[in-house]
Amino acid sequence: MVYLDNNSTTKVDPLVFEAMEPFLRGDNFGNPSSIHTAGRIVRDAIEESRSKVSSLLNCSPSEIIFSSGGTESINSAISSFANTHGGNRVLISSVEHAAVDDFTTAKFDETAVVKVGVDENGQIDLDLLQNSLDENISLVSIIYAHNETGILSPVSEIVEICTPKGVLCHFDAVQAVGKIPINLSNLECDLISLSAHKFHGPKGAGALYIKDGLNWTPSQIGGGQERGKRAGTESVANILGLGKASELAALSLSENSKLLLSLRNRFEAKVTQEFESAVIVGSNVERLPNTSNICFDGYEAEALIPLLDQKGVCVSHGAACSSGSWGPPKALKEMAYADDLAKGSIRFSFSKFNSEKDIDLTIQALHESFTLLDSINN
Ligand code: PLP
């Protein structure tokens, strides 16, 4: 199998599994809130994981709380701050993941959610953002790196616009953390959501960075875990998996980035050389090194993806959570791609476990699929 769907989820690194295993079986089963030795061993391990996550982001361990994943981190950040600071509105972009978009739609009435669009390169309209920030907006929540296209948001500029106006800034960095450097001592945002399974950690594990000093209102209330910020007995093995994944990512961020970029460049060079129909999405702007979203003009992802799958190549059309929907991916619609072109969009997303051989096999599978589709259509 050639797995090129790493923005949906990644393979658990064997070293991550090794770090988790002793806390799933054996004697490390204590409740981290217990004051006896069995509890303290687990508590210490959790705190070590917190330090590893905070090192990856260059923030203080006290600014990290653990969660069940990206969705929970995002939902709780928005819930906590969308109604504070005197404002009662939240500003988001038109290309947010469902964890932001659908959540804000469900939670607030229509007038309380201000949406700012993106241009044809997927870049948020910063002038409109600036002009939309009035005293009613308490929180801005923007995707850091887009899950469908890999396009990066101008995060420093967004912070520079929000901070002087006293508006809090949350980034959904689920696709960015572990793939590109994020240094919170330089980026003065207030909240960052992340998810372990996007960088070789376990599913169902995430974290939220909450800048020290913010007045947090928890979504989960109960036993006072996570210093009262997120109640519920900790998912210990998952937290340790997230910690190990963070440690590994921090150790090899630049090396992995180079590898991913060279795989992506090789892939995109071959695709554009060999398939006239190929249009690379976001080729003029900064993108994640691992993501290549390509529209194959005149073809439909609905036909191509199952054929590639039959040949052992796993890719997707937009976000995994909207799998099964073959319409144009949301981001491409917002970037004003013609529906016909966007319907042929395929997201290829690489990881450190891919090789050049995977690229060559994918190119071959694309050739075979196009030949078959052409023979049916002609
Ligand atoms: N935000 C983005 C940009 C994502 O890509 C995803 C997952 O695909 C999420 C949020 C949700 O994260 P999780 O699957 O950990 O709940």
Side-chain angles (χ1 to χ4, degrees), residues 7-8 68-72 74 97 99 143 145 147 172 174-175 195 197-198 205 321:
N7 285 8
S8 294
S68 65
T71 302
E72 183 193 326
I74 292 165
H97 186 273
I143 194 160
N147 48 306
D172 165 3
V174 166
Q175 292 290 347
S195 178
H197 75 105
K198 305 295 185 180
C321 33

Side-chain angles (χ1 to χ4, degrees), residues 73-291:
S73 295
I74 292 165
N75 284 195
S76 61
I78 295 174
S79 294
S80 183
F81 292 108
N83 281 319
T84 55
H85 285 51
N88 55 6
R89 291 189 183 165
V90 54
L91 184 147
I92 66 174
S93 83
S94 61
V95 293
E96 294 305 311
H97 186 273
V100 171
D101 198 8
D102 292 6
F103 180 68
T104 49
T105 305
K107 185 150 176 90
F108 306 108
D109 72 45
E110 222 178 302
T111 54
V113 183
V114 177
K115 266 192 206 178
V116 174
V118 294
D119 65 15
E120 70 282 4
N121 288 316
Q123 296 296 292
I124 186 163
D125 184 337
L126 291 176
D127 288 334
L128 190 56
L129 170 69
Q130 168 109 42
N131 295 334
S132 306
L133 290 187
D134 57 24
E135 66 285 358
N136 293 315
I137 308 270
S138 52
L139 178 73
V140 165
S141 180
I142 301 289
I143 194 160
Y144 196 119
H146 203 277
N147 48 306
E148 290 172 359
T149 61
I151 291 172
L152 301 182
S153 294
V155 287
S156 303
E157 286 91 332
I158 293 171
V159 171
E160 276 167 29
I161 292 172
C162 293
T163 310
K165 297 205 176 195
V167 176
L168 297 180
C169 200
H170 166 247
F171 291 119
D172 165 3
V174 166
Q175 292 290 347
V177 172
K179 295 181 187 167
I180 53 174
I182 296 182
N183 183 347
L184 291 177
S185 71
N186 295 337
L187 183 70
E188 293 268 308
C189 66
D190 302 287
L191 299 143
I192 286 251
S193 293
L194 64 98
S195 178
H197 75 105
K198 305 295 185 180
F199 59 105
H200 306 293
K203 293 165 189 56
L208 178 67
Y209 158 80
I210 310 170
K211 195 187 208 164
D212 263 345
L214 287 186
N215 218 352
W216 174 254
T217 308
S219 292
Q220 283 188 203
I221 297 168
Q225 289 89 348
E226 296 293 278
R227 299 175 313 286
K229 290 184 169 146
R230 197 269 192 182
T233 301
E234 296 87 340
S235 182
V236 177
N238 275 337
I239 289 172
L240 292 207
L242 169 57
K244 189 66 187 181
S246 302
E247 180 190 355
L248 295 174
L251 277 174
S252 51
L253 210 49
S254 79
E255 187 192 321
N256 280 343
S257 216
K258 274 189 210 134
L259 167 74
L260 293 170
L261 205 54
S262 85
L263 289 175
R264 194 188 74 189
N265 289 345
R266 179 186 173 92
F267 177 67
E268 291 188 350
K270 283 192 177 238
V271 165
T272 43
Q273 253 164 36
E274 299 188 26
F275 306 104
E276 258 182 21
S277 61
V279 177
I280 298 170
V281 177
S283 57
N284 308 320
V285 286
E286 270 197 86
R287 283 179 289 157
L288 287 173
N290 82 318
T291 308

